[in-house]
Amino acid sequence: MSSNSSSSSDSSAVYYVPESSIWPIVGAAALFLIALGAGATVGDLFSGRGPWILIAGVGLLLLMLFGWFRDVIHESMGGLYSAQMDRSFRQGMSWFIFSEVMFFLAFFGALFYARTIAIPWLGGASNNEMTQLVLWPDFTAHWPLVMTPDGRETQAMGPLGLPLYNTIILMISSVTVHFAHVAMEANRRSRVIFFLLITVLLGAVFVVLQGEEYIHAYQALDLRLDSGVYGNTFFLLTGFHGLHVTLGAVLLFIVWCRVVKGHFDAKHHFAFQAGIWYWHFVDVVWLCLFVFVYVL
């Protein structure tokens, strides 16, 4: 069947092949610019042009998301999709979340290695006799490692205050998005709109409070990305999680706009369901992060 067919008497028998799209290569270029810009900003490369490269990458990524979502929505609302496409979307989202799980496992693995293997070994564990040859004289092997090689002492970020508030916010948002899903399955659109909007707003509040936490870390605790292994792991874990929360909030906001426009029903709402999967994923990651980064 031609890829531009818009209907079929038996949609379950239709194998829809999407038309060629420029959005994958645009997304790859955007991610490249983001990585290049972030690295140049941190490393002060390219004569200070790093932030501009980073902004260009983020802008191109947003353009890609808008264009790709627009095309997928038009195809879905045009009746082009079938049961085969629904399975493809579910498998694709499942593999995407699995890749994100492995992504964060790598960072948690680095945290585990630094805390339980590297730092004790540098402190003399396992009969290591090279410590004083490679480290500064007053090195103390404990976590968090707040003393940097240049003699600067930072402070660790505790679990109370903003981190605890953000934990409560994300847990509440997990409940509200569940209520929205239950309402969707009951075809109660007004409740879906209400609870989904609350979820998006809670996600936005989380990101804002995390920004406040970073300002506090830099100004009051002298805790920065270059503050040794503790600063590295703290900002990489929390920063990448904050980026995922931002992406999840954007996805749910797009779904909210579609619900307002009358898209979806009780049986056909996988885009909404995919957003919920992703949101629950970032909630679980934050719980693990809160325990292993802030509490322990």
Side-chain angles (χ1 to χ4, degrees), residues 33-245:
L33 290 176
I34 290 174
L36 182 64
T41 300
V42 174
D44 195 20
L45 305 176
F46 304 137
S47 302
R49 295 187 178 91
W52 294 107
I53 299 175
L54 179 60
I55 292 173
V58 172
L60 190 60
L61 181 65
L62 293 176
L63 175 65
M64 181 274 294
L65 290 173
F66 177 84
W68 207 341
F69 286 168
R70 178 201 60 194
D71 292 349
V72 171
I73 291 171
H74 287 170
E75 291 169 350
S76 176
M77 299 306 294
L80 298 178
Y81 291 164
S82 63
Q84 166 264 328
M85 284 299 297
D86 184 69
R87 290 191 298 271
S88 296
F89 279 130
R90 292 177 184 274
Q91 292 172 3
M93 192 65 189
S94 299
W95 280 113
F96 173 65
I97 292 178
F98 176 75
S99 71
E100 295 286 68
V101 171
M102 301 307 295
F103 176 85
F104 277 102
L105 278 179
F107 285 106
F108 278 111
L111 177 66
F112 172 81
Y113 179 83
R115 293 182 60 167
T116 63
I117 299 177
I119 291 179
W121 185 85
L122 291 173
S126 301
N127 295 320
N128 171 35
E129 298 178 356
M130 297 180 59
T131 300
Q132 299 304 323
L133 299 178
V134 297
L135 299 175
W136 55 99
D138 56 348
F139 173 78
T140 302
H142 67 85
W143 189 267
L145 192 60
V146 295
M147 181 67 71
T148 61
D150 59 2
R152 181 167 54 89
E153 185 174 359
T154 64
Q155 298 181 51
M157 181 69 71
L160 301 180
L162 292 176
L164 180 60
Y165 298 155
N166 267 345
T167 302
I168 296 173
I169 287 171
L170 274 191
M171 293 304 98
I172 295 174
S173 73
S174 187
V175 174
T176 56
V177 79
H178 173 71
F179 285 164
H181 190 204
V182 171
M184 173 62 73
E185 292 179 332
N187 265 331
R188 305 183 65 177
R189 191 170 298 273
S190 61
R191 291 176 63 88
V192 176
I193 293 172
F194 173 76
F195 283 114
L196 196 55
L197 180 59
I198 294 298
T199 304
V200 173
L201 292 177
L202 288 173
V205 171
F206 177 93
V207 174
V208 171
L209 290 183
Q210 190 169 57
E212 292 289 334
E213 179 186 349
Y214 282 1
I215 293 173
H216 174 71
Y218 266 68
Q219 295 180 350
L221 305 181
D222 198 24
L223 178 62
R224 306 197 300 261
L225 185 61
D226 61 354
S227 299
V229 66
Y230 174 67
N232 292 163
T233 54
F234 173 80
F235 282 105
L236 284 175
L237 276 165
T238 59
F240 274 116
H241 179 267
L243 181 63
H244 283 72
V245 172

